[in-house]
Amino acid sequence: MRIEDYALIGDTQSAALVGRDGSIDWLCLPRFDSPACFAKLLGDESNGFWRLAPAGHEMATRRAYAGDTLILETVWETSTGTVKVIDFMPPRHANPALVRIVEGLSGTVRMTTEISIRFDYGSIVPWARRLGGRLHAIGGPDSVWIDTPVHLKGSGGRHTGVFTIAAGQRRSFVFTWHPSHQPEPGIIDPGEQFVETSRFWKEWASRCWLPGRCRATVIRSLITLKALTYSPTGGVVAAPTTSLPEHLGGVRNWDYRFCWLRDAAMTLDALTESGYVTEAGAWLDWLLRAIAGRPEDLQIMYGVAGERRLPEQTLDWLPGFEGSRPVRIGNGAAGQLQLDVYGEVLNCFYRARKLGMPPHDYAWTIVCRLMDFLERCWTQPDEGLWEVRGPRRHFVHSKVMAWVAADRQVRAIEELGHTGPLRRWRAMRDRIHAEVCDRGFDPGRGTFTQSYGSRELDAALLLIPIVGFLPAEDPRVVGTIDAIERELMTDCFVLRYPVSEGNEIDGLPGAEGAFLACSFWLAEALDLVGRKDEAVDLFERLLALTNDVGLLPEEYDPVQGRHLGNFPQAFTHLHLIHTALALC
């Protein structure tokens, strides 16, 4: 299946991907970043999966989420009847669980299920046995219990079952994980958990204050961001997957199951604007815990509980999605210097206060220490927003975001009553602004460039008017937008920067798709410069890229018409929200 053939279910601590064929091909337990027990997504059936579908039928007829929830309903219409499979992960209590309910809608349907559990990303075949009517699989630290009235027959490391479902009947499966050294977990009631899960998501969605069309446009993205939030700590993962390729068959395959400060800061902003101040406060607490210590030790990303060590390694036994290798876990970019992160974090604190979050003395102390560090280091080259693995450069976007940091600190003093070295920060703001306009702008072409002295463009330059560095009507802004439309667009979608053989910008071979967040930036920038109709048209084209259940990936291949990159991607969905709010 393609990336867009999957749907997301989760319990705000972990997540699973369910295919159109009724197969769960990705599930990590007990956390987003735990080893997968179903890893077919990055390999084949030998790496673990769980399929539940009518016998002899492949793709479902239709599927959708049940209203404003993360409960997936998949329907098959067969020659003998119609059946629905309901998939969800209940809000976490003692142990993580996954529930699958088969419901007959009409006639009778012969169903099959096949379960292949493989711990540690498909590398460990567990020992399976029956205990008191329950199927138990154990391997190292992992233990799974399956409860169902359907008889499951074991053979060759798999368990299969065949049963018939008639109109009005239900058959349930409950998959419960727990640490293997702990006592056997209790049995949960699927019907009760369905009611509780439905209530949880509907109550959460009802807190969205956005009216009319805006709400209808953004609510699925808000639910997706909530699903990618690790509820015990408030951290937001960039995606629930690793190594879904940015180019099919290529090496641009990264682990996104971590909390990027940039992504999380923007997510906080989107949630706060939509009425979710509690979630914003939880993220703020996570951030303060994660960055506590010396400001020079700030990382661009952390684990879901604030872990700092995220060593990158490859899983050589997995062939990768459509042969895209290597499959990576961990992320070496955690050790990079990305100066724009400071601007994102300080902007986030300022915006949160402006949107009603109460003052937090400790938070102000932390951001002032971050600002002190940035004052000393903003002149350095860095790896930039796109985490290039080539040489460090003086990226224009990094400098612009350093300006944002200084600007928001100045505003926090002037508008919110905070205290700090106002004159010094004003002077820093003015110096950065003058340097960027002098060294980052190509007057011959009438555009800002990716880095000082370069000729390459960068889609992140579209943020210049959005963050307020220059007014939208400034000829330099208009010229930059025009240049990006000429040089970085493919079939109306925006690339991050030029990628070609011999281009040493990111230090990696091969091409990539159009980065969807960049196209949302263009839509917002077009609106700011008065090209409203074009902005709306582009926004609607982007909305049309969502799959049948409203999810978007990191990138899109306009040539093959396919989703690319980790999925679903928080960065994409949060910019969908920001653009919708700007255009509504």
Side-chain angles (χ1 to χ4, degrees):
M1 290 185 294
R2 298 184 173 199
I3 292 171
E4 55 265 38
D5 289 323
Y6 287 98
L8 175 76
I9 58 173
D11 62 1
T12 72
Q13 295 191 42
S14 185
L17 292 188
V18 187
R20 288 177 187 265
D21 62 349
S23 181
I24 297 175
D25 292 344
W26 184 253
L27 174 62
C28 299
L29 294 172
R31 305 194 331 179
F32 290 108
D33 57 350
S34 298
C37 55
F38 297 139
K40 180 185 173 185
L41 180 71
L42 301 178
D44 54 34
E45 291 187 349
S46 67
N47 302 121
F49 70 101
W50 179 7
R51 186 161 190 262
L52 178 59
H57 289 263
E58 292 296 330
M59 298 298 183
T61 307
R62 62 184 181 275
R63 61 179 182 169
Y65 288 111
D68 292 340
T69 76
L70 205 65
I71 298 173
L72 181 68
E73 298 182 339
T74 306
V75 175
W76 281 266
E77 295 176 355
T78 76
S79 60
T80 61
T82 303
V83 66
K84 176 168 65 178
V85 174
I86 304 168
D87 290 316
F88 62 95
M89 295 177 70
R92 190 76 61 92
H93 296 296
N95 299 290
L98 190 156
V99 178
R100 313 195 77 177
I101 300 173
V102 184
E103 180 180 347
L105 300 181
S106 67
T108 60
V109 180
R110 187 170 180 264
M111 299 290 296
T112 64
T113 188
E114 185 173 9
I115 306 172
S116 175
I117 302 168
R118 296 291 185 270
F119 296 128
D120 192 26
Y121 302 102
S123 68
I124 297 176
V125 179
W127 173 43
R129 56 179 176 164
R130 296 186 185 280
L131 291 174
R134 311 179 79 184
L135 178 62
H136 179 220
I138 187 171
D142 299 294
S143 177
V144 165
W145 298 78
I146 298 176
D147 299 292
T148 180
V150 175
H151 175 69
L152 299 175
K153 180 181 179 181
S155 177
R158 302 183 184 187
H159 286 78
T160 59
V162 179
F163 60 100
T164 299
I165 194 85
Q169 291 183 333
R170 282 190 167 196
R171 296 288 185 273
S172 300
F173 299 79
V174 178
F175 180 101
T176 305
W177 180 96
H178 79 125
S180 60
H181 64 277
Q182 292 185 357
E184 176 180 346
I187 299 174
I188 66 173
D189 184 288
E192 291 178 359
Q193 293 303 309
F194 173 83
V195 172
E196 180 180 349
T197 304
S198 180
R199 182 188 304 117
F200 170 84
W201 286 107
K202 288 178 178 178
E203 289 180 353
W204 188 86
S206 69
R207 291 163 47 203
C208 176
W209 64 267
L210 297 173
R213 178 177 177 271
C214 277
R215 187 183 189 282
T217 300
V218 306
I219 192 64
R220 179 51 52 189
S221 290
L222 286 168
I223 291 173
T224 302
L225 293 180
K226 174 64 173 175
L228 298 179
T229 302
Y230 185 66
S231 56
T233 65
V236 181
V237 297
T241 57
T242 179
S243 298
L244 289 180
E246 297 172 11
H247 176 67
L248 293 175
V251 301
R252 298 171 183 265
N253 318 314
W254 314 108
D255 193 347
Y256 277 12
R257 299 171 299 157
F258 305 114
C259 303
W260 270 254
L261 294 189
R262 179 189 305 108
D263 298 30
M266 293 180 180
T267 299
L268 182 149
D269 194 36
L271 290 171
T272 306
E273 282 197 83
S274 305
Y276 293 97
V277 178
T278 301
E279 282 73 11
W283 180 86
L284 179 62
D285 291 339
W286 174 88
L287 174 65
L288 293 173
R289 292 192 301 270
I291 67 178
R294 299 187 307 168
E296 58 265 36
D297 295 332
L298 181 76
Q299 294 187 182
I300 64 164
M301 72 178 83
Y302 296 86
V304 295
E307 297 89 349
R308 295 179 178 232
R309 297 191 183 277
L310 310 174
E312 185 174 301
Q313 57 185 301
T314 60
L315 306 183
D316 296 332
W317 63 86
L318 288 173
F321 184 88
E322 295 196 20
S324 304
R325 302 182 70 177
V327 170
R328 296 181 175 93
I329 59 171
N331 200 309
Q336 289 188 350
L337 175 65
Q338 298 179 19
L339 294 172
D340 72 289
V341 169
Y342 293 86
E344 298 292 359
V345 171
L346 270 59
N347 180 60
C348 166
F349 277 99
Y350 168 76
R351 290 272 299 161
R353 283 294 318 279
K354 291 288 284 185
L355 290 169
M357 187 173 291
H360 196 308
D361 291 339
Y362 176 57
W364 178 248
T365 301
I366 290 288
V367 298
C368 286
R369 292 179 64 189
L370 294 178
M371 188 64 186
D372 290 341
F373 173 77
L374 190 59
E375 281 186 273
R376 302 192 303 270
C377 299
W378 73 266
T379 57
Q380 296 182 14
D382 71 338
E383 278 89 3
L385 167 70
W386 305 124
E387 301 176 0
V388 298
R389 303 216 172 185
R392 287 183 176 181
R393 290 174 168 82
H394 290 285
F395 287 103
V396 170
H397 174 260
S398 295
K399 308 303 185 187
V400 168
M401 293 310 298
W403 175 90
V404 167
D407 178 73
R408 300 321 188 248
Q409 289 296 90
V410 168
R411 291 190 186 190
I413 294 172
E414 294 176 339
E415 301 170 12
L416 302 174
H418 287 293
T419 59
L422 182 60
R423 291 180 62 185
R424 197 173 81 221
W425 288 345
R426 279 177 177 164
M428 174 185 169
R429 179 179 66 177
D430 293 344
R431 181 184 169 193
I432 296 172
H433 198 280
E435 181 180 293
V436 169
C437 292
D438 177 46
R439 301 182 62 189
F441 184 75
D442 183 342
R445 298 162 64 206
T447 180
F448 284 95
T449 58
Q450 184 178 56
S451 59
Y452 290 171
S454 72
R455 289 189 57 81
E456 291 86 4
L457 296 179
D458 191 317
L461 300 170
L462 293 166
L463 293 170
I464 286 175
I466 295 173
V467 301
F469 182 83
L470 285 174
E473 62 271 15
D474 190 291
R476 291 166 293 185
V477 170
V478 175
T480 300
I481 294 172
D482 291 343
I484 287 173
E485 287 185 291
R486 286 194 309 268
E487 300 181 31
L488 286 186
M489 293 195 72
T490 174
D491 194 27
C492 297
F493 302 111
V494 183
L495 301 172
R496 293 189 292 180
Y497 47 80
V499 176
S500 61
E501 294 298 331
N503 186 343
E504 298 180 354
I505 291 175
D506 60 16
L508 294 167
E512 65 176 14
F515 201 82
L516 291 178
C518 300
S519 297
F520 283 113
W521 295 343
L522 177 59
E524 194 167 348
L526 290 173
D527 180 55
L528 288 174
V529 299
R531 297 164 61 183
K532 180 81 171 185
D533 291 344
E534 294 173 75
V536 171
D537 180 67
L538 175 57
F539 182 60
E540 290 178 348
R541 290 196 63 173
L542 290 167
L543 292 182
L545 300 183
T546 59
N547 71 355
D548 57 321
V549 291
L551 301 180
L552 284 168
E554 179 183 23
E555 299 185 6
Y556 179 73
D557 183 344
V559 176
Q560 298 188 50
R562 295 189 58 173
H563 286 190
L564 292 174
N566 284 301
F567 174 85
Q569 177 78 311
F571 202 62
T572 306
H573 281 279
L574 69 90
H575 284 295
L576 182 157
I577 295 169
H578 281 298
T579 307
L581 294 175
L583 296 181
C584 283

